[in-house]
Amino acid sequence: MTIYPKRTVDARTARISYASFGDKGASPLIMIQGLGMPGTMWHRLGEQLAEEGFHVIIPDNRGTGASHNLKPMFLMQDLAEDIAAVHDHVFGASPAYVAGISLGGMITQRFALDHPERARGLVLAATTCGLPHNLINGAFVSPDAIGLLLKLCFTPKSATIDDMSKLLIHPDSSPRKKELFGRIREVFTHEPTPPATYALQLLAALFHSTGSQLHRIQVPVHVITGDSDHLIPSKNSDLLAAKLPNVKHTIVERAGHAFPLEHPRSFVDEICALRARAEAP
């Protein structure tokens, strides 16, 4: 696994590390990972997007990778402020494209709502606008998925590749599960995430609720999900697309929650398509 150098910026209640890919004059892009995942999980896509003409910034969410949490409890607003601190440190007044998956997609929503002048366009991948809207819409996470998620978060040594497969990928990808999840195990061997971080990020996700505010996001948004997401059902993306005023909605076929792992080109192409749409005359 290639280890890229990281820089650090002080946020209000955290010290956030980030890796950088591409030329500084290229299109600004911030990529935000999901629950408990260090930014290192994005690095291969960061390389590909740099080749597509992006200046890619990949932060470690507080408590993951090389980032430090300095607060006993935090909410989605705190995680969004971390991204704002990284944005200002790297891009200054220039708005950036922001792409987030799962928890990262929740952070992206909050970032765009709290800092609209910093966002040029969003990719919301395999994510949700949160309670109560997803509960009313029938898009809430299944008890089985919650059980698997808790097992992976808090007893990772007892979690099997079959557990990860059931939660994160489409059955068609099962023959590749050792290859796909070998990457995750490799990352966590170098950058293990403490159980306290999972607990705090899960708490932030529980209180996440943007459904009544999404009409305020006026920049182009691409909502994308796998057609067989067991963790955050695709109905959540339907709900997001219905509430956003300037949206393109994409379903990746034969893909689960970790569709960028299964079909990495789909995510790269979606970000490139967002830029083309945002910059069209």
Side-chain angles (χ1 to χ4, degrees), residues 184-246:
I184 294 178
R185 291 192 183 281
E186 187 180 21
V187 167
F188 280 111
T189 297
H190 290 86
E191 297 179 314
T193 298
T197 294
Y198 286 111
L200 291 169
Q201 290 187 357
L202 279 169
L203 185 65
L206 179 64
F207 285 101
H208 167 70
S209 180
T210 56
S212 62
Q213 304 170 64
L214 291 175
H215 66 279
R216 292 168 36 207
I217 298 178
Q218 298 298 315
V219 296
V221 181
H222 283 206
V223 173
I224 180 170
T225 190
D227 62 356
S228 301
D229 191 330
H230 188 54
L231 180 56
I232 298 183
S234 59
K235 283 185 179 181
N236 286 277
S237 291
D238 297 340
L239 184 59
L240 283 168
K243 290 180 173 293
L244 288 157
N246 188 4

Side-chain angles (χ1 to χ4, degrees), residues 131-159:
L131 294 168
H133 313 278
N134 60 352
L135 186 60
I136 295 168
N137 192 53
F140 196 62
V141 181
S142 71
D144 176 49
I146 292 174
L148 283 171
L149 178 65
L150 294 174
K151 183 177 182 180
L152 289 173
C153 290
F154 298 110
T155 58
K157 290 183 179 179
S158 67

Side-chain angles (χ1 to χ4, degrees), residues 68-90:
H68 299 282
N69 172 45
L70 307 177
K71 193 175 182 181
M73 189 185 87
F74 54 80
L75 297 175
M76 208 62 67
Q77 289 86 346
D78 299 296
L79 294 164
E81 287 303 319
D82 297 343
I83 301 303
V86 172
H87 174 278
D88 292 356
H89 179 72
V90 178

